[in-house]
Amino acid sequence: EGEVCRKLMATRLPNLHLDRCRVAPSKLHGLGVFAKRDIAAGELITLYPGDAVLHWQDASRSIANVSVLFGGHVPACDQDARKVLLEESRAYEILASDTISIVGNPNLNLD
C-alpha cells in the first residue's frame, strides 16, 4: 500500500487535458468546482491527485500513529505534516480506506 501511494504521489499526467470544470467562488463555501459544459453520465470530469497521503498504522486513525507522505510536486517549504493534520486542512481530505486518506491543498495551484 505504501509503495503504491508513493508512486501515485510522484506521478503527474502532463498531457491529460480535462478542461471540463473550473474553480470559482461558491455561494455555499469559499471556492467550488463548476462544470464548463454539459457533462455526460460516467464522464471523467477532473483528476484529484492530492498533495499529501495520510497513512495510519491502524483504523483508529490516531494522530499519534499517522505518517504523512507529500507528493513530489509539493515544494519543500509547503511540506509541513503538522499543518496537514490540522482540522482546517482535513476539510480537504478524501478517505481512500480505513488507514489511508488523501489531502489537497486548495492554495497549491501547481498543475
Side-chain angles (χ1 to χ4, degrees):
E1 246 177 24
E3 186 59 27
V4 171
C5 289
R6 281 191 252 311
K7 287 183 190 275
L8 282 172
M9 293 299 290
T11 302
R12 281 298 191 235
L13 306 170
N15 297 316
L16 186 63
H17 301 288
L18 294 175
D19 193 24
R20 298 176 180 126
C21 61
R22 64 186 173 85
V23 175
S26 168
K27 293 178 183 176
L28 300 177
H29 184 331
L31 295 175
V33 177
F34 301 90
K36 288 181 159 183
R37 60 172 177 75
D38 289 342
I39 305 292
E43 182 179 358
L44 181 63
I45 298 170
T46 190
L47 186 64
Y48 181 83
D51 299 311
V53 172
L54 306 181
H55 184 240
W56 284 269
Q57 293 175 10
D58 56 50
S60 72
R61 298 175 68 86
S62 166
I63 298 292
N65 295 326
V66 66
S67 57
V68 179
L69 174 68
F70 289 93
H73 65 286
V74 178
C77 61
D78 290 328
Q79 295 185 16
D80 184 347
R82 291 170 298 164
K83 189 172 181 181
V84 171
L85 296 170
L86 293 175
E87 186 175 333
E88 176 183 315
S89 298
R90 304 281 295 279
Y92 299 94
E93 179 179 12
I94 295 173
L95 301 178
S97 74
D98 288 343
T99 58
I100 295 177
S101 62
I102 299 167
V103 180
N105 179 347
N107 300 315
L108 198 58
N109 299 332
L110 300 175
D111 301 1

